[in-house]
Amino acid sequence: MKKFVIILFILIITGCNNDYSSIDKLSIISTIGIDHIDNEYLVTVEVLNPTKKTNKDNLDYDIVTIKGAGKSLSKALDDINSKTSNKLYLNHLELLIIGKDSINYIDDIATYFVHDNMVNKDFYVFYSNEKTANKLIYHDYSSEKNSDDDNKTANALFSSFVKPDSNVLKFSDFLEKYLNPYIDSSIPIMSIDDTKTDESITLNELFITPDFKSTYILKKQEAIIVNALNNKLKSSIYTFTYNEDVYTLSNTYDKISITPDFIGDEPYINIDVDITSSILECENPEIKLTKEKIDEVKDAFNSSIEERISKVISKLIAYNTDVLGFRNKFYNEYPKYVETNSDTLFSSLNIVIDVNTFITDFSLLKNEDGVEINETR
Amino acid sequence: MKKDSVLFLINKIKTDTNLSPDIKYRTFYITKKIEATIIFCDSIVSSNSINEFISKSIVSSFNSHVSLNKNNVKQFLSNTIYNCSIIDTKNYEELISLLFSGFSIIITDNHSCLAFETKGNLDRSISESSSEITIQGPKDSFNENYMTNIGLIRKRIKDENLFLKELTIGRSSKSLLGILYMNNIADYELVLEIYEKLKTIDIDGVIDTGYIKEFLSDDFKTTFPTILGTEKPDLVAGALLEGKVVIILENTPYVLILPTFFIDFFHAPEDYYQKSTNVSMTRIIRVISFFIAILAPACYVALITYNPDILPPDLFMNFAIQTNGVPFPPIVEALLLFLTFEIIKESDTRTPSAVGSALSIVGALVLGDAAVNAGIVSPIMVIIIAISSISGLAFASQDMVNSLRFWRILFMIAGFMFGFIGIFILLIYFVIRLCDINLFKKPYLFPFAPLYITENKDAILRFPRPFLNFRTKLLSNNTTRIKKENNI
């Protein structure tokens, strides 16, 4: 009995029982939007209130949007808490939208979400460079495809994930890069076209920043290259012109390796890209591809890809934003060199790019004998 | 015994039994000069036996024994009356005991007091066990007749090494108790220890083996059964061949097997009549059932009160929707449902089978559905309690089922008070308690704690028969089960 009392006492005084909150007494936050306006955080949350409809088959939840303001994030959330009778519950958070003015306060935001153990780290993060997060949450999404006819922001956004060029980022992945001094952060940009009623959400662009003070935006094609080099994109649609013929290809990125090296004292980054492509469309379907012609198209395609990669990397170097983690790759191989040259390393890097393409499907294009072309690796 | 002393004895019996109307006294003459009195308890004797074998024998030889005198009347009665069980007694206590055991006592005016067995048949016939149902294997079960029960075992083990030790237990009940063991297999020290323990029991009456269970058990605190009670003679025969000791008590069909280990409650007699692979699977299911029975409601309560974060989002929302609108905290909800289930179970046990099915329908369907519709409990809680309770019924031993019920409540409270931390702490305590139990110096958690790897061939998994060459050393020095030339 004495032992039992001691165990009970230990459990109670160590606070093991102070997290009691019944599941039906929770305000389940699905989406949280953070803006910083007039030296105050404006936090907008989308709360799911489970409701039991009279019809048994129609079990559902009500969506309530609540906003609160405060000097700190926790005070803003306390303000929201005072407006709802239930306890705020962030453990099943699905979406964080960082508003256009609050990106400079990313340290505070990241710290809050990292330190609060009642928040999971598996939600998606998006940045809005045009509108406030508040506006994005209050937007009517009910007409969005596959959003189950509800107005839940997360559902609307998840339905946009299926688009081939959408950029997505989980908070845990963001944190990994955010906490690494040798990789710069990138956050997908969420934008809404108010003129469209359907499929108004686009997630094509990428927000990049070396320090969250200077900020840059990568456009759709650039974002594709960055995602592909970061092994986050397995396939994409690519268009290029050769001999005035426009080819549209579907690329599958088989292997992308980025290896750091030194030639003499010069730091080099070797980028090897193996792509399997299939020609989806050619503006001139009557074209007859001889073996030499196929090789020429391949070489032209390789050069085109190499050129685009080179351009994107040049842009990143110009912005001094190492979102591809070149410094980190050097650090893994040559830590002492990076520690002494971390400021200048990225800008002084020499880049060697080698792209190898294998075209498997030539669509309806024919060879010189008028027979459809089939190639196997 | 003179005539006045016979009268004195009869009067003493009458006084001691408060002139009990079912005790009959009949005086008759064996010869013209020799008088005798027959005393019997009418409620437990067969009057047919008395008429056919005692009265008829004496009357038919009334004229043939002219030479009979007071000195040889006892010999005459023993030879004349057709009865194989005759006891010559001079002890009054024994006389009374025999009288109430179905014997007819004949008191002559000599120093003779003979008891003839004339027991009436008060026992039911051998029937199928209602509490331990088997699909495959022998169906017969013990009944209330002591000798029948021993016979059912002897029928299965026709070996001279099956030894029986008897003693009488209970000051008033004077119940006959038998200790059965295989002399060439069982540990004799264990038999002696059990015998000595039983001998020290000084109790007014022993109605069922349940009375002596707690005298034999070393650990009174544990809720888990430490002695297995069974109605199945095939299970008992199997246990005897393992080197275990069996206790049979008259007037009860429940036979005790000891020592019993925790894992024995996960075994069923038919486990040995089926293919080993299938049996292993069934046993794994029983182990899973055990954990579901004690942990499922506790885990659910902990999940929805402390740790909803570990639920996948869809399941979390589903739980949140289902529990919405229920006015009670989950623990109250669980206890309410649990109490309802136990009441239904208890009522179902006590009611006649004809009413039982109606009760089940009212209890399970009407009450459950109505409670959910009324918003008193959530549908998921109904599912959890139902799964947990059904899992608990996977065990034949009622003691085990009751013990699971006790621990289920404890785990629920721990889950409600401290979430998964509370459940894990209680689980550790639970395992420690199980490890702490010893019965006749044998570890209860054998063969897991302490771990005997070779003995695990017939624990949770059951290896095929040809691989089970040896008995456990813990119970027997004669460990060879299958002779070497037949070994695989």
Side-chain angles (χ1 to χ4, degrees):
Chain A
M1 191 63 196
K2 201 190 285 177
K3 285 176 204 163
F4 177 73
V5 171
I6 292 169
I7 291 170
L8 196 71
F9 193 62
I10 289 169
L11 284 169
I12 291 167
I13 62 166
T14 48
C16 288
N17 68 333
N18 64 355
D19 293 331
Y20 176 84
S21 48
S22 185
I23 196 167
D24 57 323
K25 303 281 185 293
L26 297 174
S27 288
I28 303 152
I29 297 177
S30 152
T31 303
I32 183 164
I34 300 171
D35 295 304
H36 197 267
I37 299 164
D38 299 333
N39 276 332
E40 259 196 343
Y41 282 100
L42 174 69
V43 176
T44 314
V45 293
E46 205 167 72
V47 176
L48 308 181
N49 284 333
T51 50
K52 211 181 218 175
K53 299 280 166 68
T54 45
N55 181 358
K56 261 192 185 174
D57 300 329
N58 194 10
L59 296 170
D60 214 343
Y61 47 79
D62 291 333
I63 300 169
V64 182
T65 309
I66 309 170
K67 52 184 178 176
K71 285 283 174 200
S72 66
L73 266 178
S74 53
K75 279 186 180 165
L77 283 165
D78 285 345
D79 187 30
I80 293 171
N81 214 355
S82 65
K83 294 172 186 171
T84 166
S85 56
N86 292 341
K87 184 180 170 184
L88 290 185
Y89 178 77
L90 283 152
N91 239 320
H92 279 83
L93 183 68
E94 292 172 291
L95 192 61
L96 165 66
I97 302 171
I98 301 167
K100 64 171 184 172
D101 303 314
S102 55
I103 197 72
N104 297 335
Y105 301 90
I106 193 77
D107 274 339
D108 286 351
I109 297 169
T111 306
Y112 179 83
F113 285 103
V114 167
H115 286 186
D116 191 343
N117 65 348
M118 292 307 287
V119 182
N120 77 346
K121 312 288 180 272
D122 202 37
F123 53 87
Y124 291 95
V125 186
F126 290 93
Y127 170 65
S128 169
N129 63 332
E130 289 168 357
K131 293 179 178 171
T132 60
N134 178 274
K135 271 192 181 169
L136 289 181
I137 291 175
Y138 273 98
H139 182 82
D140 182 8
Y141 293 100
S142 51
S143 60
E144 285 294 325
K145 248 189 194 173
N146 303 323
S147 61
D148 298 332
D149 293 323
D150 66 21
N151 197 21
K152 191 176 153 193
T153 311
N155 280 0
L157 209 69
F158 295 158
S159 65
S160 305
F161 285 4
V162 294
K163 292 181 194 169
D165 303 325
S166 291
N167 298 310
V168 290
L169 178 72
K170 289 248 172 140
F171 184 70
S172 48
D173 297 331
F174 166 76
L175 268 186
E176 202 182 313
K177 288 184 178 176
Y178 176 73
L179 297 172
N180 189 329
Y182 303 119
I183 306 177
D184 290 323
S185 300
S186 61
I187 304 174
I189 293 173
M190 176 184 177
S191 52
I192 294 173
D193 189 348
D194 288 327
T195 57
K196 283 187 183 174
T197 53
D198 193 11
E199 296 190 38
S200 60
I201 304 170
T202 49
L203 306 168
N204 294 336
E205 296 175 333
L206 211 53
F207 163 86
I208 58 169
T209 174
D211 50 9
F212 290 97
K213 284 178 184 122
S214 40
T215 60
Y216 309 100
I217 288 167
L218 293 181
K219 296 290 176 197
K220 182 180 170 181
Q221 290 303 329
E222 295 165 338
I224 288 171
I225 297 290
V226 167
N227 284 334
L229 291 176
N230 270 333
N231 280 317
K232 284 173 75 180
L233 192 69
K234 293 292 164 208
S235 61
S236 68
I237 306 294
Y238 188 83
T239 307
F240 88 106
T241 310
Y242 176 66
N243 278 355
E244 296 178 352
D245 294 326
V246 180
Y247 294 86
T248 306
L249 296 101
S250 168
N251 293 342
T252 304
Y253 301 95
D254 295 331
K255 183 191 143 199
I256 292 173
S257 72
I258 300 173
T259 45
D261 200 2
F262 278 97
I263 299 176
D265 289 340
E266 292 290 308
Y268 272 83
I269 280 282
N270 297 310
I271 301 173
D272 291 318
V273 182
D274 286 354
I275 301 172
T276 304
S277 285
S278 48
I279 298 173
L280 298 177
E281 201 180 356
C282 178
E283 273 191 353
N284 179 12
E286 298 305 316
I287 191 168
K288 294 234 166 45
L289 293 173
T290 58
K291 197 168 174 11
E292 291 73 30
K293 183 100 173 165
I294 290 170
D295 290 339
E296 280 173 25
V297 171
K298 274 185 193 170
D299 289 344
F301 179 69
N302 289 344
S303 304
S304 168
I305 296 270
E306 281 167 13
E307 192 184 332
R308 285 201 191 177
I309 292 173
S310 178
K311 269 187 187 173
V312 169
I313 292 174
S314 303
K315 198 170 182 179
L316 293 176
I317 290 173
Y319 293 160
N320 196 25
T321 310
D322 185 9
V323 289
L324 294 170
F326 291 159
R327 283 176 300 166
N328 191 51
K329 289 188 193 304
F330 262 98
Y331 182 77
N332 292 338
E333 299 282 326
Y334 315 101
K336 282 189 179 167
Y337 179 83
V338 177
E339 278 165 12
T340 50
N341 300 291
S342 66
D343 294 338
T344 56
L345 174 64
F346 187 55
S347 54
S348 63
L349 273 177
N350 297 295
I351 313 289
V352 178
I353 304 164
D354 184 22
V355 176
N356 293 303
T357 308
F358 182 73
I359 303 175
T360 53
D361 186 357
F362 289 81
S363 187
L364 298 173
L365 297 180
K366 297 183 175 73
N367 62 16
E368 66 268 40
D369 302 325
V371 180
E372 283 182 20
I373 305 164
N374 284 314
E375 271 207 7
T376 49
R377 197 186 282 269
Chain B
M1 204 180 282
K2 290 180 180 176
K3 193 169 183 179
D4 55 346
S5 67
V6 172
L7 277 175
F8 173 77
L9 180 61
I10 292 168
N11 285 334
K12 184 170 168 56
I13 294 170
K14 283 182 178 173
T15 316
D16 288 353
T17 56
N18 196 24
L19 292 170
S20 183
D22 65 334
I23 297 176
K24 306 290 182 190
Y25 307 84
R26 193 195 154 204
T27 304
F28 56 92
Y29 285 90
I30 299 171
T31 65
K32 285 174 184 173
K33 290 181 181 176
I34 301 171
E35 195 182 70
T37 304
I38 182 164
I39 310 171
F40 57 90
C41 183
D42 203 16
S43 51
I44 52 171
V45 296
S46 160
S47 48
N48 199 32
S49 297
I50 296 172
N51 292 340
E52 283 290 318
F53 305 114
I54 299 178
S55 304
K56 211 171 180 178
S57 306
I58 293 169
V59 171
S60 63
S61 54
F62 182 76
N63 292 320
S64 63
H65 35 66
V66 185
S67 60
L68 196 67
N69 57 46
K70 289 174 184 176
N71 298 325
N72 60 9
V73 68
K74 182 180 143 192
Q75 194 188 346
F76 164 74
L77 287 172
S78 302
N79 292 338
T80 309
I81 295 170
Y82 307 125
N83 199 304
C84 59
S85 182
I86 303 169
I87 299 168
D88 182 7
T89 179
K90 286 169 184 166
N91 184 323
Y92 178 75
E93 300 293 326
E94 194 185 6
L95 188 145
I96 294 294
S97 172
L98 289 168
L99 178 66
F100 288 111
S101 301
F103 280 72
S104 296
I105 317 289
I106 296 180
I107 307 168
T108 63
D109 56 355
N110 202 340
H111 294 87
S112 295
C113 202
L114 288 173
F116 297 89
E117 206 237 273
T118 51
K119 282 178 187 170
N121 187 13
L122 302 178
D123 302 305
R124 64 188 166 98
S125 59
I126 297 167
S127 57
E128 197 173 335
S129 168
S130 56
S131 59
E132 291 169 76
I133 311 285
T134 48
I135 299 162
Q136 204 174 334
K139 305 278 182 193
D140 56 348
S141 68
F142 293 123
N143 63 12
E144 286 74 13
N145 189 299
Y146 176 74
M147 282 301 165
T148 308
N149 292 351
I150 292 174
L152 285 172
I153 298 168
R154 284 232 186 254
K155 202 171 84 173
R156 287 172 167 83
I157 305 173
K158 300 171 189 84
D159 190 338
E160 73 278 12
N161 285 305
L162 178 61
F163 279 23
L164 172 68
K165 259 171 140 41
E166 277 188 348
L167 67 147
T168 310
I169 196 164
R171 288 193 305 275
S172 298
S173 64
K174 293 188 175 50
S175 311
L176 192 59
L177 183 144
I179 302 170
L180 273 165
Y181 61 96
M182 292 299 292
N183 186 45
N184 58 339
I185 301 171
D187 178 5
Y188 191 65
E189 277 183 27
L190 175 70
V191 178
L192 270 185
E193 199 181 340
I194 293 167
Y195 184 74
E196 290 303 324
K197 260 195 175 179
L198 288 168
K199 256 174 63 177
T200 56
I201 299 172
D202 187 10
I203 187 172
D204 54 349
V206 177
I207 309 301
D208 184 78
T209 42
Y211 277 56
I212 52 174
K213 258 189 202 173
E214 287 186 329
F215 285 103
L216 291 169
S217 178
D218 295 331
D219 195 333
F220 302 105
K221 288 181 199 163
T222 181
T223 57
F224 278 104
T226 48
I227 298 169
L228 181 65
T230 181
E231 282 186 292
K232 302 287 296 173
D234 51 326
L235 180 64
V236 169
L240 283 167
L241 292 173
E242 288 302 308
K244 293 189 178 181
V245 180
V246 166
I247 296 173
I248 298 181
L249 185 74
E250 65 175 338
N251 301 321
T252 175
Y254 284 96
V255 170
L256 301 184
I257 299 172
L258 41 115
T260 306
F261 305 113
F262 185 59
I263 196 66
D264 290 336
F265 294 95
F266 293 79
H267 295 176
E270 66 200 77
D271 285 3
Y272 298 97
Y273 314 144
Q274 295 173 356
K275 280 189 80 71
S276 56
T277 323
N278 300 339
V279 169
S280 300
M281 196 65 207
T282 314
R283 286 185 180 176
I284 289 168
I285 290 168
R286 284 192 203 121
V287 173
I288 294 169
S289 304
F290 174 82
F291 285 106
I292 290 175
I294 59 169
L295 292 176
C299 287
Y300 176 70
V301 168
L303 264 179
I304 64 164
T305 49
Y306 285 94
N307 309 90
D309 45 303
I310 60 173
L311 287 168
D314 291 342
L315 191 63
F316 168 80
M317 275 315 290
N318 199 10
F319 279 11
I321 292 165
Q322 301 280 1
T323 51
N324 186 262
V326 177
F328 304 114
I331 185 74
V332 177
E333 206 185 331
L335 288 174
L336 266 176
L337 267 177
F338 180 66
L339 187 68
T340 314
F341 174 80
E342 287 301 323
I343 291 169
I344 293 170
K345 198 177 97 181
E346 197 62 22
S347 314
D348 204 24
T349 316
R350 312 278 164 232
T351 46
S353 56
V355 190
S357 56
L359 189 81
S360 305
I361 292 165
V362 171
L365 299 177
V366 180
L367 266 182
D369 196 41
V372 170
N373 283 337
I376 299 168
V377 291
S378 62
I380 291 180
M381 188 61 94
V382 176
I383 296 168
I384 297 288
I385 296 292
I387 288 175
S388 165
S389 303
I390 291 167
S391 301
L393 298 176
F395 301 92
S397 165
Q398 203 53 39
D399 285 337
M400 181 58 122
V401 174
N402 294 341
S403 178
L404 289 178
R405 181 177 61 189
F406 172 79
W407 280 98
R408 188 184 302 147
I409 295 173
L410 277 194
F411 273 105
M412 269 199 280
I413 294 168
F416 178 70
M417 288 176 74
F418 306 108
F420 277 104
I421 293 174
I423 292 174
F424 281 119
I425 288 174
L426 190 61
L427 197 61
I428 291 165
Y429 174 74
F430 171 77
V431 174
I432 291 171
R433 281 293 298 127
L434 281 178
C435 292
D436 196 33
I437 303 170
N438 281 292
L439 185 70
F440 296 104
K441 295 169 200 148
K442 316 282 185 219
Y444 189 51
L445 275 191
F446 170 86
F448 308 115
L451 182 64
Y452 296 81
I453 292 172
T454 51
E455 308 289 352
N456 272 284
K457 285 180 181 174
D458 186 17
I460 293 177
L461 302 179
R462 185 174 83 71
F463 281 45
R465 261 292 173 202
F467 291 93
L468 303 174
N469 296 337
F470 301 105
R471 296 183 190 95
T472 170
K473 284 178 189 166
L474 202 72
L475 293 172
S476 173
N477 293 324
N478 176 10
T479 56
T480 309
R481 188 186 277 132
I482 299 172
K483 295 275 186 189
K484 222 172 186 183
E485 55 267 30
N486 298 326
N487 286 4
I488 289 178

